[in-house]
């Protein structure tokens, strides 16, 4: 991927047919080592091809690939109950949370 990125950067800079030396120069300028095998494979694949045409061709191929989902299903319906039991549960949960918070403070902090 890094080799292709360097190839594309050189193309944007006006070098329509970058050599292995050009690509290595770009990669070395940012402290990245080039893999000679991958670099040679990339150059052999792109030899004699116009990168703009390849990008356009790839874009049309990607346009035909289905993406996205069918959407999520509906969530389960809530049970119809009276309001009083729910309020009691909320009060109990609030008391439990307060108790848990006081247990967590043991007189020292994480970064003390």
């Amino acid at each position: 991927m890094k080799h292709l990125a360097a190839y594309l950067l050189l193309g944007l800079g006006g070098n329509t047919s970058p050599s292995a030396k050009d690509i290595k120069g770009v990669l070395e300028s940012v402290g990245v080592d080039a893999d000679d095998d991958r670099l040679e494979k990339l150059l052999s694949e792109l030899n004699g091809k116009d990168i703009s045409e390849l990008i356009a061709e790839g874009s049309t191929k990607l346009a035909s690939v289905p993406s996205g989902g069918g959407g999520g299903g509906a969530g389960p319906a809530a049970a119809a109950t009276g309001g009083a039991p729910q309020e009691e549960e909320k009060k109990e949960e609030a008391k439990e949370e307060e108790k848990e918070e006081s247990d967590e403070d043991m007189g020292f902090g994480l970064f003390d």
Side-chain angles (χ1 to χ4, degrees):
M1 198 67 159
K2 60 188 173 186
H3 301 97
L4 180 59
Y7 186 95
L8 292 172
L9 283 171
L10 288 164
L12 286 173
N15 187 346
T16 57
S17 183
S19 67
K21 182 180 177 184
D22 296 332
I23 294 172
K24 284 181 183 181
V26 169
L27 293 174
E28 289 172 358
S29 71
V30 293
V32 177
D33 293 327
D35 181 0
D36 291 332
D37 294 334
R38 289 187 178 183
L39 181 56
E40 291 304 320
K41 181 171 173 52
L42 174 71
L43 291 175
S44 68
E45 294 284 330
L46 296 175
N47 189 19
K49 297 178 182 174
D50 181 26
I51 195 68
S52 299
E53 290 176 13
L54 290 175
I55 292 173
E57 182 181 331
S59 295
T60 57
K61 287 181 181 179
L62 284 176
S64 66
V65 175
S67 62
T81 60
Q86 290 179 354
E87 290 177 14
E88 289 177 16
E89 289 177 17
K90 289 181 182 178
K91 288 179 184 177
E92 289 177 14
E93 288 176 13
K95 288 180 184 177
E96 289 178 18
E97 288 178 11
E98 289 176 13
K99 186 177 180 181
E100 289 176 9
E101 289 177 8
S102 64
D103 290 343
E104 289 177 10
D105 185 17
M106 302 175 101
F108 61 91
L110 182 61
F111 300 106
D112 289 336

